[in-house]
Amino acid sequence: MGPKNLSEQLLHDIGLEIVQGNLSPGEILPKVETLSEMKGVSRTVVREALKGLTARRLVESSTRVGTVVREKNEWLWWDPDIISWASRSNDSRNFLLQLSEVRLAIEPAAVRLAARNATDEDILLIKKSYERLENSLGDEEEWARADFEFHDSILLASRNVLMISLVKTLHNGLVQSRQTTIKVLKKYQEKNNHGKTEDALLMHKAVMEAICSRDEALAYEKMLHLLLSVVQLIEDLEASK
Amino acid sequence: MGPKNLSEQLLHDIGLEIVQGNLSPGEILPKVETLSEMKGVSRTVVREALKGLTARRLVESSTRVGTVVREKNEWLWWDPDIISWASRSNDSRNFLLQLSEVRLAIEPAAVRLAARNATDEDILLIKKSYERLENSLGDEEEWARADFEFHDSILLASRNVLMISLVKTLHNGLVQSRQTTIKVLKKYQEKNNHGKTEDALLMHKAVMEAICSRDEALAYEKMLHLLLSVVQLIEDLEASK
DNA sequence: TTCGATTTGTCCGTATGTATT
DNA sequence: TAATACATACGGACAAATCGA
C-alpha cells in the first residue's frame, strides 16, 4: 500500500520531514536541482513531489524565492497522509488527544444526521449489520470486522458525502495513531475484554435502536455514551501499563 | 488569487470537469500526450496537473491502464478546491445543504471545545473581539469584519489545530457556495437587517459569556441557537424571492 | 506463458519568465 | 539598468509495468 513511484516516495519523505518539524514554517527547501542530486532522482520527480506538497498546502513555490514551508494553520490537516505523518511525529501523543477531541464532537453528530436522513434501505442495512455484530460475540477478529461494518452502515445513512469523508479520515487517523502509540496494549485488551464485550453490544444496540426509531437526540446521546466508554477503556489500559 | 502557473490552471480545468460530473468515476482520461496536444501545453505541465488530482484522490494512474477517475466516496472532499468546484456544479443547491448540515453539527462542537480549552489570553481576545462587534452595530462592512474576527478568536481558543482547519475550510466553502447560489439576495439582507442586528448581537453575547464562564453545554446551545437563526434568515430571504 | 502494443514513469538538455539585488 | 538565481516550461529519449492476443 506504500508509495508506488519515485515522486510519491519523495513526497512522503519531504512531507514527513515537514510535519515532524525537521523543516519549519518559513524555511526554504533546497532548489529543485539540489534536491534532485541529494535524493538521486531527476528534476521531473522532484517537481512532481513538490506538486503533491503544494496540493496539501504544506509549501508554496514562487519564482526566484524558492519553495517555502507554510504556516501550520494553513496546512490541509484533513488529509490522510498529513494525519499519518503527524501521528508518527514526536508529540504524537498530543495529536492523538486532538483527534479524540474531534471524534467526540463529530461522531455523535454524524449519528444524529443518520437518524435524520436514513432511508428505509439504510435502516435495513444497519439492522443487518447489528445482527452480524451480535453473532460475533466470542470471536475477536470477527467482532472487529463486524464493528467496522456496523459503523460504516450508520455513516452511509447520514447521506452526506462531506460527513462520510470526514469521519472516514478521522477513523483512519485514529487507527494510525494508535498503531504507533499503543500497539502492544492490544494483548491486554484481549484478556480483559471478554467480560466487557456484552456491555459493548448493548451500547451498540441502543445506538441502532435510536436511529431506527429516528430519534435524533437519543441517537446522539447513545453514540456519545459508547465513545466515552471506549475512551475510558483506553485510559484504563494506559493506567495499568 | 487564481492559478499562478500552467499546471495549476490545467489542474483546475480537469478538477472542475471531474467534480461537476463531465468526467464520471471509472472513466479514463486521455493519455498525457493527447492532453498535452488538446490543451496546448507540454507533457510536463500535464503530468504535474495530474499529480495535483492524484493528491486529492480524484484520479489514480497506472501504467498501460491510464489515469482513471476514482469513486466519489474516495475523493478528499475537505479540500478547498474540491469544495469550490462542487459549489459551482449543477446540484450546488444540494451541496450547500450538505455543507449546512455539517456546519450545524460541527460549529457548536467547536465552540464547546473552546469553552473547555481556552486559556486566559484566549478569553481576553474573545471579549475584545466581542466589544468590537458591539461597536460596529450600524456599519454593515465593519460588522462583517468584526463578526469574522469574533468567530476566529473563538475558533483559536479551541486549541485544536484539526478543529480549526476543519471549520475554516467549512466557512470557506459556505462563502463560495453562497456566492454562486444567493449572491443577489445580499441587497435584501441590507434592507431588512437593521432591525435584526441587535438580536444577532445578543446571541453573540450569549455565546461569548458562556465561553468565558467555561460552561460547555451552554456554549454549545447558544452557538446552535445563533446558527439556527442564520439558517432561518436565509430561508426567509429565499422564500421572499 | 510469451509477445507485442500501449501508457505511465523517469531522465535530461535547453530555454523562458520573474523577482531580487 | 543589468546581473543573478530560482521556478517554470518544453520536448526527445528510454525504462517499466500491464493488458490482451
Side-chain angles (χ1 to χ4, degrees), chain A residues 103-116 158 163 167 216 219-220 223-224 227, chain B residues 101-102 104-106 109 112 220:
Chain A
R103 182 187 201 189
L104 287 175
I106 306 297
E107 283 210 63
V111 173
R112 181 173 54 197
L113 209 55
R116 184 187 314 161
S158 74
M163 188 59 94
V167 175
E216 296 184 25
Y220 179 97
M223 184 63 197
L224 183 60
L227 289 179
Chain B
E101 276 187 339
V102 176
L104 287 174
I106 306 297
R112 182 173 53 198
Y220 180 97

XYZ file of all heavy atoms in Angstrom, chain A residues 103-116 158 163 167 216 219-220 223-224 227, chain B residues 101-102 104-106 109 112 220:
241
model
N -13.163 13.582 17.534
C -14.034 12.422 17.393
C -15.266 12.534 18.269
O -16.389 12.297 17.830
C -13.268 11.151 17.776
C -14.102 9.921 17.600
C -13.437 8.666 18.128
N -14.030 7.491 17.497
C -13.797 6.257 17.867
N -12.952 6.012 18.861
N -14.372 5.250 17.275
N -15.054 12.921 19.525
C -16.183 13.052 20.451
C -17.149 14.138 19.994
O -18.336 14.115 20.319
C -15.667 13.371 21.866
C -14.994 12.211 22.586
C -14.411 12.668 23.909
C -16.005 11.085 22.817
N -16.641 15.080 19.235
C -17.508 16.145 18.739
C -18.260 15.713 17.485
O -19.452 15.996 17.330
C -16.682 17.396 18.450
N -17.567 15.002 16.596
C -18.117 14.736 15.265
C -19.007 13.498 15.212
O -20.102 13.525 14.651
C -16.976 14.532 14.239
C -16.026 15.710 14.252
C -17.562 14.319 12.847
C -16.661 16.989 13.845
N -18.532 12.406 15.762
C -19.233 11.141 15.527
C -20.657 11.112 16.059
O -21.554 10.611 15.372
C -18.414 9.976 16.085
C -17.259 9.637 15.167
C -16.894 8.167 15.239
O -17.744 7.336 14.890
O -15.767 7.875 15.645
N -20.902 11.619 17.262
C -22.316 11.674 17.682
C -23.152 12.521 16.722
O -24.304 12.170 16.419
C -22.235 12.328 19.063
C -20.867 12.017 19.560
C -19.998 12.065 18.339
N -22.561 13.586 16.222
C -23.271 14.432 15.259
C -23.546 13.669 13.970
O -24.609 13.826 13.355
C -22.458 15.689 14.968
N -22.595 12.846 13.561
C -22.780 12.045 12.351
C -23.927 11.051 12.537
O -24.751 10.851 11.638
C -21.490 11.304 12.006
N -23.978 10.460 13.719
C -25.048 9.503 14.007
C -26.406 10.213 14.050
O -27.419 9.692 13.559
C -24.772 8.776 15.337
C -25.956 7.913 15.742
C -23.513 7.926 15.216
N -26.402 11.401 14.614
C -27.643 12.191 14.636
C -28.129 12.468 13.210
O -29.314 12.356 12.903
C -27.390 13.513 15.371
C -28.627 14.393 15.476
C -28.372 15.586 16.343
N -27.202 16.339 15.900
C -26.562 17.223 16.634
N -26.960 17.471 17.870
N -25.524 17.860 16.165
N -27.186 12.794 12.358
C -27.518 13.036 10.956
C -28.093 11.774 10.313
O -29.043 11.835 9.511
C -26.252 13.477 10.209
C -26.422 14.403 9.010
C -27.200 15.637 9.406
C -25.059 14.789 8.452
N -27.524 10.638 10.684
C -28.024 9.363 10.161
C -29.462 9.131 10.598
O -30.303 8.689 9.810
C -27.132 8.219 10.625
N -29.742 9.450 11.856
C -31.109 9.274 12.364
C -32.086 10.155 11.600
O -33.260 9.824 11.435
C -31.156 9.606 13.853
N -31.599 11.270 11.102
C -32.482 12.192 10.380
C -32.659 11.774 8.912
O -33.759 11.804 8.375
C -31.913 13.614 10.434
C -32.851 14.646 9.771
C -32.205 16.006 9.688
N -31.576 16.361 10.962
C -30.647 17.297 11.092
N -30.239 17.963 10.036
N -30.131 17.552 12.282
N -26.088 8.655 6.838
C -26.116 10.111 7.005
C -26.420 10.785 5.679
O -26.872 11.920 5.625
C -24.778 10.614 7.554
O -23.783 10.585 6.541
N -19.818 14.508 5.439
C -19.718 13.878 6.746
C -19.056 12.513 6.641
O -18.222 12.151 7.468
C -21.125 13.746 7.346
C -21.148 13.276 8.779
S -20.234 14.358 9.912
C -21.540 15.427 10.503
N -15.534 11.570 8.644
C -15.429 10.544 9.679
C -14.476 9.426 9.238
O -13.730 8.887 10.055
C -16.817 9.980 10.024
C -16.696 8.827 11.006
C -17.702 11.073 10.607
N -33.308 11.579 16.944
C -32.009 12.217 16.734
C -31.258 12.458 18.037
O -30.073 12.125 18.163
C -32.188 13.548 15.998
C -32.740 13.388 14.595
C -32.814 14.723 13.861
O -32.041 15.633 14.202
O -33.652 14.839 12.951
N -30.108 9.184 19.601
C -29.015 8.602 18.824
C -27.699 9.301 19.155
O -26.661 8.654 19.358
C -29.307 8.716 17.333
N -27.758 10.630 19.213
C -26.574 11.415 19.571
C -26.043 10.980 20.932
O -24.861 10.670 21.085
C -26.946 12.905 19.592
C -25.831 13.833 19.959
C -25.090 14.479 18.974
C -25.497 14.077 21.288
C -24.055 15.340 19.299
C -24.468 14.921 21.629
C -23.746 15.560 20.634
O -22.724 16.402 20.959
N -24.585 7.362 21.112
C -23.286 7.252 20.446
C -22.201 7.874 21.312
O -21.103 7.329 21.443
C -23.336 7.955 19.082
C -22.066 7.800 18.276
S -21.714 6.072 17.828
C -19.991 6.159 17.368
N -22.517 9.011 21.889
C -21.561 9.665 22.784
C -21.212 8.737 23.946
O -20.041 8.591 24.317
C -22.155 10.976 23.313
C -21.230 11.813 24.202
C -19.979 12.210 23.445
C -21.953 13.046 24.726
N -18.838 6.097 22.811
C -17.479 6.606 22.609
C -16.773 6.858 23.933
O -15.587 6.583 24.083
C -17.524 7.902 21.791
C -17.884 7.742 20.318
C -17.921 9.105 19.642
C -16.892 6.834 19.620
N -25.644 21.257 6.824
C -25.848 20.168 7.788
C -24.598 19.963 8.635
O -24.671 19.842 9.859
C -26.178 18.866 7.059
C -27.639 18.687 6.684
C -27.912 17.295 6.124
O -26.964 16.630 5.667
O -29.070 16.885 6.130
N -23.475 19.907 7.949
C -22.220 19.683 8.665
C -21.926 20.863 9.584
O -21.466 20.697 10.713
C -21.056 19.477 7.683
C -19.741 19.344 8.435
C -21.288 18.242 6.842
N -24.012 22.815 11.169
C -24.827 22.740 12.386
C -24.301 21.664 13.331
O -24.505 21.722 14.538
C -26.283 22.450 12.031
C -27.040 23.626 11.414
C -28.423 23.190 10.958
C -27.148 24.765 12.415
N -23.619 20.683 12.779
C -23.065 19.627 13.617
C -21.732 20.028 14.226
O -21.456 19.762 15.395
C -22.889 18.350 12.794
N -20.900 20.707 13.433
C -19.521 20.954 13.840
C -19.341 22.199 14.687
O -18.683 22.180 15.732
C -18.607 21.094 12.597
C -18.740 19.887 11.687
C -17.155 21.292 13.031
C -18.305 18.632 12.309
N -19.989 22.230 18.314
C -18.986 21.384 18.952
C -17.658 22.117 19.081
O -16.939 21.971 20.078
C -18.809 20.100 18.165
N -17.944 24.479 21.928
C -17.870 23.722 23.177
C -16.414 23.415 23.526
O -15.985 23.560 24.672
C -18.653 22.422 23.047
C -18.673 21.590 24.317
C -19.593 20.398 24.177
N -19.274 19.607 23.003
C -20.100 18.724 22.451
N -21.301 18.526 22.963
N -19.738 18.034 21.381
N -22.374 25.415 23.710
C -22.866 24.607 22.592
C -24.256 25.068 22.180
O -24.533 25.346 21.017
C -22.891 23.135 23.006
C -23.384 22.180 21.945
C -22.498 21.484 21.146
C -24.748 21.980 21.764
C -22.951 20.610 20.173
C -25.212 21.111 20.789
C -24.306 20.422 19.998
O -24.759 19.563 19.037
